[in-house]
Amino acid sequence: MAGDTLASAGSLLRAALPLRGSSAQLAVSAGSRGTLRGWPGTRLGRAGASTSAGNPAGSAERAASPLHRGTREHAAKAAFGTGLGHLLLFLLFVGPFNCFASYSRATELFYSLNEGLPAGVLIGSLARDLRLPTADSQQAASLQPPLSFTLASHGLGGQYVQLDNRSGELHTSAVEIDREALCMESSGATIFGGSAAVSSSSPSPESCLLLLDVLVLPQEYFRLVKVKIAIRDVNDNAPRFPVPHIRLSVPENAPVNTRLAIEHPALDPDMGTNGVQTYRLRDNYGVFTLDVEENENGERTPYLIVMGALDREMQDEYVTVIIAEDGGTPPLVGSATLTIGISDINDNCPQFNDSQLNITLYGNSSLGTHVATVHAVDMDLGSNAQITYSYSQKVPQPSRDLFHLNESTGAITLSTKVGGDTPRLHRLIILGNGPGCIPAVITVLVTIIKVMMRPPEVVPRFIANEVEGVVYLKELEPINTPIAFFTIKDPDEKYKVSCYLDGDGPFRLSPYKPYNNEYLLETTKPLDFETQQLYEISVVAWNSEGFHVKKVVKVQVLDDNDNSPVFSEQLIELSIEENNVPNAFLTKLHATDADSGERGQVSYFLGPDAPSYFALDKTTGVLTVSTQLDREEKEKYRYTVKAVDSGFPPRESIATVTITVLDKNDNSPRFINKDFSFFVPENFPGFGEIGVISVTDADAGQNGWVALSVLNGSDIFVIDTGKGVLRAKVSLDREQQSSYVLWIEAVDGGDPALSSTAKITILLLDINDNPPLVLFPQSNMSYLLVLPSTLPGSPITEVYAVDKDTGMNAVIAYSIIGRRGPRPESFRIDPKTGNITLEESLMQNDYGLYRLLVKVSDHGYPEPLHSTVMVNLFVNDTVSNESYIESLLRKEPDISVEEKQPQISIEPTHKKMESASCMPTLVALSIISLGSIALVTGMGIYICLRKGKKHHRADENLEVQIPLNGRINLHMLEKKPVEISNI
């Protein structure tokens, strides 16, 4: 009833107000996006899905869509006037339920993905899984404002995801997800970071959840989406034992199938089948195996199982490797050393090596004389191997009183003096007793020999330091160092007693006069601890009846710091490649000291001449270099090292270390210059030496061998690989090509080879091997009509020539070396430009053909070259008979050649210009002056003509004056066309 009322009220409210709709809780798997499935704790609609027709959330969403917005607003207006009272009642009724309405707006989505994925992997699309308009749909394009998705807060979980605000697509971020780091530390608790959290509490104990809160806007689609991302485990961790060495103790009497738990099982942060699954032994020795037990919490514990009989006395320890393997694909393993110690039990009893000992004892033996020692062996350890010795009950009491038995050592000594009524044979049955064992038995038969006299006595009095019969002497003690006095006497004072020293060593026993029966024991040469540390000598005394007594003396030599350390090699020769890694190992020095204890402990030090970047470990003698060595900087190192002992005062020795730095191909060939320029005269003979290319390589041996080659122009030029001599295969012509640019490559002999290149510029120097080439006139048969009215100084024609050479070899001079005609001196040629001008006015008698032989010469060195051309000028008003002129041209001209060299001078040119400048003045004066001035004008003309002739002759005399070092750029000369009448 309440539900129906609330539904009716909701319908009325939706008709009156623009509701935004309630939300449903969904669970969507990332593996099947868009499919809805239930999750424990999720409230579904009445039809089981949020999009069901009976679900109010679905109705709300339809009401909130743009398609139904107009209908809803119209219904609201219609109901506003008539249902206002109902609306007020409804608001009073539903007011207390506002909190529930807000809570129902939360939607839950569930995704899952593997840990360790890279950035940009799609987790899910919130818009598609919430059945909202996607960003690329037409409905989403019409939304204003557009649909947006926002993380409520960027907490701990928000750093692992990236949310597209428009499309609602959720991707992995650049921060890699590590399941073990996220969830193992939380131990089942939820770690919140604002609205994003990490939780390992989930329906499955192996699940790890990343919790996010996402806000969906705008207002029509507003909802709070609870996103749960389950992080799936991948096998990215290998099993690891907490300790590298595991020790286990097994009693040697452990029966077969005995199980012992290994207290340090392997740990694997991964879960499920990716965790530790199995254990195995690398070597089971045929008596062990492993089993794994799993408790109710899923923890797997390895157990060691005994598969065969154990005997500590045969083998007391087994060392193997225990390997843990997980269930991933591929499986990962971890290992630790497993030491199985076999503990002892009392399973062995004492045993004597012999069953009977036969001992002979003189009747005059003194109290405390050692008779014999019995010794039994028990293979067990510790208290299980403790042995005590005792007499059997079968040993009579007199024998017990005569001989004392040490219970711990088994030593038998004489405890009372042997009397005349003492039995001569004693049978001593001795028991070796062990804990929980039947005693071992040995019989000692002691035969006493009756002696009528007492043996000699030897009484020592030690001068040197003596402790319990051991004399201590320092080595290097001087010769004749006294050790002890010995007094030799006969207790019965009836027999003569003598003595001597028995044993090897630098010792002497001599009578000490003036006393009788006094002897001094002393050294005969210095003792050396390194040669022998312990001497055992005996002082033997005997009487005239043949009885003798022996007194044993032990001499222990004490060490002194008398030896310096000795290097195994006095000259230590080492080698290392250059460009070594820092702290590279060079060698391990070894020096020995024959002294003992601290006096023999050796420390190592670098000498003062060693560079600072060499280091020598004081204790181990390991020699290293802390920096990279460069052979090109220094190839040989030589310094000293010291070995110092710990004696007082310390002693030392010195060795020499030489280090040769081996070459590596780390230097490219280097040209002396980056650019080489060579000036070569043209027409240089083929295979002549143009120049030498100098190149060096700082490396040595094969790495420093350099081969040269021409990269371009190899069809013309060749280079000598060894000497670097550059040659041209053919003769070079500057007129064909004035310069060459070559690239020379130098390659060394290393592996891999290094190379470098250099630029070679070859400039060809010009040789005067080309005569001037006359371009105009083009033929000796051509001619030019010169009108008689031509004024003096007017240009008639020109001779134009070029020279393929350069410099002074291309400077051209023009001269007339032969003339023929009515008045041939009427024409003159400019030596620089080749312009031919009229020098004098032409008269009636000057009509006819003029033939001028023009020499065109360069200024080459050492021999100038020249060409000649015939310039034909026909002075007449018209050409009436061309065939006649041509016949004259075909005739060989009778011209005498003038052997005058052309000269180029600046001064005559100026004079010519002065001469030429007079003519316009005279012409102007002749026009202005009338009558009486005509005579003056005629005289002026006559004077100017006479002056022009003088200048012309002076010009011809100065034609060959060209300075040899002058530079004339022929390309800058402008050839001005001459206006002439061409026939």
Side-chain angles (χ1 to χ4, degrees):
M1 181 69 69
D4 295 337
T5 304
L6 183 60
S8 301
S11 301
L12 180 59
L13 182 61
R14 284 193 299 269
L17 296 176
L19 294 181
R20 291 175 295 179
S22 62
S23 62
Q25 296 177 354
L26 307 178
V28 182
S29 171
S32 56
R33 299 183 181 89
T35 304
L36 306 178
R37 58 184 177 92
W39 185 261
T42 302
R43 282 191 309 125
L44 299 176
R46 283 177 292 183
S50 64
T51 56
S52 173
N55 192 346
S59 301
E61 290 175 1
R62 286 192 300 271
S65 65
L67 185 62
H68 299 85
R69 190 175 298 145
T71 304
R72 186 187 62 215
E73 292 175 354
H74 177 74
K77 293 178 181 179
F80 184 80
T82 58
L84 182 59
H86 294 85
L87 178 59
L88 294 175
L89 292 175
F90 170 74
L91 293 175
L92 291 175
F93 179 76
V94 301
F97 297 95
N98 284 339
C99 58
F100 298 101
S102 299
Y103 178 79
S104 66
R105 303 176 69 81
T107 301
E108 184 176 274
L109 296 179
F110 179 78
Y111 301 102
S112 62
L113 76 159
N114 293 339
E115 63 174 325
L117 294 177
V121 176
L122 178 64
I123 301 174
S125 175
L126 302 184
R128 182 169 58 248
D129 296 338
L130 293 173
R131 306 224 174 166
L132 297 174
T134 58
D136 55 353
S137 65
Q138 184 177 2
Q139 184 179 359
S142 62
L143 289 177
Q144 291 298 330
L147 198 65
S148 66
F149 301 84
T150 309
L151 285 175
S153 175
H154 293 277
L156 176 63
Q159 63 180 325
Y160 299 104
V161 297
Q162 287 183 339
L163 178 62
D164 190 307
N165 294 338
R166 296 296 305 275
S167 66
E169 289 185 348
L170 201 61
H171 295 82
T172 56
S173 69
V175 181
E176 185 177 292
I177 298 177
D178 186 358
R179 183 186 183 280
E180 290 72 33
L182 284 174
C183 296
M184 288 302 177
E185 297 179 357
S186 61
S187 300
T190 302
I191 303 175
F192 289 95
S195 297
V198 176
S199 173
S200 62
S201 59
S202 62
S204 173
E206 298 182 357
S207 296
C208 172
L209 294 181
L210 193 65
L211 306 181
L212 306 172
D213 288 350
V214 179
L215 297 177
V216 183
L217 296 172
Q219 183 178 2
E220 289 80 2
Y221 292 93
F222 171 76
R223 66 183 66 192
L224 175 64
V225 182
K226 298 283 186 178
V227 179
K228 293 183 178 181
I229 304 175
I231 310 302
R232 290 193 296 263
D233 183 46
V234 297
N235 192 28
D236 57 345
N237 292 279
R240 185 177 59 86
F241 286 90
V243 293
H245 196 139
I246 303 173
R247 188 170 184 87
L248 193 64
S249 180
V250 181
E252 62 176 326
N253 64 343
V256 176
N257 293 329
T258 298
R259 301 170 65 87
L260 295 99
I262 298 177
E263 298 181 354
H264 301 286
L267 305 175
D268 193 330
D270 296 325
M271 300 295 294
T273 58
N274 293 332
V276 178
Q277 299 296 317
T278 60
Y279 292 86
R280 67 177 185 271
L281 295 177
R282 181 171 295 173
D283 186 1
N284 57 17
Y285 295 94
V287 293
F288 300 106
T289 187
L290 288 179
D291 189 19
V292 180
E293 291 186 4
E294 184 175 353
N295 60 15
E296 58 185 9
N297 294 329
E299 298 176 351
R300 296 175 181 265
T301 303
Y303 282 81
L304 181 71
I305 302 176
V306 179
M307 301 298 294
L310 304 175
D311 188 355
R312 189 205 63 79
E313 288 71 35
M314 296 294 293
Q315 186 170 349
D316 61 350
E317 188 177 75
Y318 297 87
V319 180
T320 183
V321 176
I322 181 172
I323 300 174
E325 182 175 308
D326 61 22
T329 303
L332 303 177
V333 297
S335 63
T337 302
L338 176 63
T339 301
I340 305 170
I342 309 302
S343 60
D344 182 56
I345 64 169
N346 191 25
D347 57 347
N348 291 278
C349 291
Q351 296 288 333
F352 287 105
N353 294 330
D354 300 314
S355 60
Q356 182 174 313
L357 293 177
N358 297 317
I359 303 297
T360 299
L361 181 68
Y362 291 101
N364 60 353
S365 298
S366 60
L367 295 178
T369 299
H370 179 267
V371 178
T373 298
V374 294
H375 181 67
V377 178
D378 192 326
M379 299 297 293
D380 293 326
L381 293 176
S383 61
N384 293 332
Q386 289 182 357
I387 301 174
T388 59
Y389 302 94
S390 63
Y391 285 125
S392 172
Q393 295 180 358
K394 297 179 181 181
V395 178
Q397 190 62 39
S399 298
R400 293 171 182 259
D401 295 337
L402 183 62
F403 300 102
H404 173 71
L405 174 63
N406 191 307
E407 293 183 356
S408 300
T409 64
I412 303 172
T413 58
L414 186 63
S415 59
T416 60
K417 295 198 68 141
V418 179
D421 56 349
T422 301
R424 296 296 178 259
L425 181 64
H426 296 268
R427 186 181 183 87
L428 306 178
I429 301 174
I430 300 174
L431 305 177
N433 305 299
C437 291
I438 300 174
V441 180
I442 187 173
T443 301
V444 179
L445 292 177
V446 182
T447 302
I448 299 176
I449 300 176
K450 187 175 181 180
V451 180
M452 298 305 295
M453 63 183 67
R454 289 184 293 178
E457 293 181 356
V458 179
V459 180
R461 288 172 292 169
F462 292 99
I463 301 173
N465 185 26
E466 180 267 338
V467 178
E468 295 182 357
V470 180
V471 178
Y472 295 92
L473 292 178
K474 289 184 177 181
E475 64 175 335
L476 303 180
E477 288 283 356
I479 301 175
N480 301 326
T481 297
I483 298 174
F485 279 113
F486 288 89
T487 302
I488 309 300
K489 63 181 178 178
D490 180 15
D492 298 329
E493 297 182 356
K494 296 179 179 179
Y495 305 98
K496 182 180 179 181
V497 180
S498 300
C499 72
Y500 66 92
L501 187 62
D502 183 24
D504 297 329
F507 304 102
R508 177 176 59 213
L509 182 68
S510 57
Y512 190 75
K513 297 179 180 181
Y515 303 103
N516 294 326
N517 297 331
E518 294 288 342
Y519 294 85
L520 176 63
L521 179 63
E522 59 185 353
T523 60
T524 59
K525 64 179 182 179
L527 303 177
D528 188 0
F529 174 84
E530 287 72 36
T531 303
Q532 188 170 346
Q533 294 87 31
L534 181 65
Y535 295 90
E536 188 171 325
I537 56 178
S538 299
V539 177
V540 181
W542 84 96
N543 59 17
S544 57
E545 294 298 323
F547 289 98
H548 65 274
V549 175
K550 181 185 292 186
K551 181 65 177 180
V552 178
V553 179
K554 293 182 179 180
V555 179
Q556 176 68 53
V557 182
L558 300 178
D559 187 30
D560 200 358
N561 192 31
D562 59 336
N563 291 278
S564 300
V566 177
F567 281 99
S568 56
E569 296 176 304
Q570 287 299 314
L571 179 60
I572 305 167
E573 297 179 332
L574 307 173
S575 63
I576 184 175
E577 281 193 343
E578 64 176 331
N579 303 331
N580 55 282
V581 297
N583 300 318
F585 172 84
L586 293 175
T587 189
K588 184 175 181 180
L589 303 180
H590 180 66
T592 57
D593 194 316
D595 296 324
S596 62
E598 293 183 354
R599 292 172 291 274
Q601 294 180 359
V602 180
S603 300
Y604 302 92
F605 301 94
L606 289 172
D609 55 344
S612 60
Y613 39 83
F614 288 96
L616 180 60
D617 189 277
K618 175 182 178 182
T619 305
T620 63
V622 172
L623 181 64
T624 57
V625 56
S626 61
T627 187
Q628 283 190 348
L629 300 180
D630 188 357
R631 189 205 66 82
E632 290 72 36
E633 182 179 339
K634 189 172 184 180
E635 185 177 7
K636 295 278 187 181
Y637 293 88
R638 185 183 181 94
Y639 53 87
T640 58
V641 290
K642 295 191 300 182
V644 183
D645 62 22
S646 301
F648 184 80
R651 301 174 69 96
E652 66 180 37
S653 62
I654 296 176
T656 302
V657 175
T658 62
I659 301 175
T660 301
V661 183
L662 303 179
D663 185 54
K664 290 181 71 175
N665 192 29
D666 58 343
N667 289 279
S668 300
R670 177 176 295 180
F671 290 93
I672 293 180
N673 299 318
K674 293 183 179 179
D675 296 331
F676 291 84
S677 297
F678 297 105
F679 296 89
V680 181
E682 64 173 331
N683 303 327
F684 194 70
F687 293 97
E689 181 178 327
I690 295 176
V692 177
I693 310 299
S694 298
V695 61
T696 60
D697 194 313
D699 294 322
Q702 186 70 18
N703 295 332
W705 181 85
V706 180
L708 298 174
S709 61
V710 180
L711 295 181
N712 62 326
S714 58
D715 54 339
I716 300 177
F717 296 94
V718 65
I719 190 168
D720 189 335
T721 297
K723 299 180 180 179
V725 177
L726 182 64
R727 306 175 189 272
K729 298 179 183 179
V730 297
S731 179
L732 303 178
D733 188 358
R734 190 205 63 80
E735 286 70 38
Q736 293 183 2
Q737 187 170 341
S738 61
S739 64
Y740 296 87
V741 177
L742 304 179
W743 289 97
I744 303 297
E745 182 182 36
V747 182
D748 63 21
D751 185 18
L754 302 178
S755 63
S756 60
T757 57
K759 181 181 178 182
I760 311 297
T761 303
I762 301 174
L763 301 173
L764 297 183
L765 301 177
D766 185 52
I767 292 179
N768 192 27
D769 57 345
N770 292 278
L773 177 62
V774 178
L775 300 180
F776 186 86
Q778 298 179 354
S779 172
N780 291 334
M781 301 300 292
S782 61
Y783 62 95
L784 186 70
L785 177 63
V786 180
L787 297 177
S789 60
T790 303
L791 296 176
S794 300
I796 304 301
T797 184
E798 69 170 341
V799 176
Y800 178 61
V802 296
D803 197 315
K804 294 181 180 179
D805 295 324
T806 60
M808 295 302 296
N809 296 331
V811 176
I812 298 175
Y814 303 89
S815 64
I816 299 175
I817 62 174
R819 303 170 184 267
R820 183 181 177 83
R823 192 154 52 100
E825 64 274 8
S826 300
F827 297 95
R828 174 186 177 275
I829 190 169
D830 190 300
K832 292 182 179 180
T833 63
N835 289 336
I836 297 176
T837 57
L838 180 62
E839 288 293 297
E840 300 177 351
S841 298
L842 296 174
M843 305 300 179
Q844 186 68 29
N845 297 331
D846 296 336
Y847 284 35
L849 180 63
Y850 291 78
R851 308 199 71 177
L852 305 177
L853 181 60
V854 178
K855 179 181 180 181
V856 182
S857 176
D858 60 23
H859 287 74
Y861 179 83
E863 184 72 24
L865 302 179
H866 68 276
S867 300
T868 58
V869 64
M870 187 70 71
V871 178
N872 301 305
L873 303 176
F874 186 66
V875 178
N876 200 2
D877 293 326
T878 60
V879 178
S880 60
N881 192 351
E882 293 184 6
S883 60
Y884 171 72
I885 299 175
E886 291 175 357
S887 64
L888 294 177
L889 295 175
R890 281 194 293 269
K891 292 180 180 181
E892 188 69 25
D894 184 12
I895 300 177
S896 59
V897 178
E898 303 173 4
E899 294 298 331
K900 289 196 301 181
Q901 296 296 329
Q903 296 181 353
I904 298 177
S905 176
I906 298 176
E907 184 178 354
T909 304
H910 289 300
K911 293 179 179 180
K912 177 183 176 183
M913 292 177 62
E914 293 175 2
S915 175
S917 61
C918 293
M919 295 304 297
T921 304
L922 294 176
V923 172
L925 290 175
S926 62
I927 296 174
I928 298 173
S929 299
L930 298 174
S932 62
I933 302 176
L935 180 61
V936 178
T937 302
M939 292 177 66
I941 292 173
Y942 177 77
I943 294 172
C944 288
L945 289 176
R946 295 289 295 176
K947 188 178 180 181
K949 289 180 180 181
K950 292 180 181 180
H951 292 323
H952 178 66
R953 294 190 185 98
D955 199 9
E956 290 180 349
N957 294 331
L958 297 175
E959 279 180 339
V960 283
Q961 296 179 1
I962 297 178
L964 295 178
N965 58 351
R967 294 186 179 179
I968 301 176
N969 192 345
L970 298 181
H971 299 285
M972 299 299 295
L973 294 178
E974 296 183 358
K975 300 298 181 178
K976 300 180 179 179
V978 180
E979 296 180 1
I980 58 176
S981 299
N982 193 3
I983 298 176

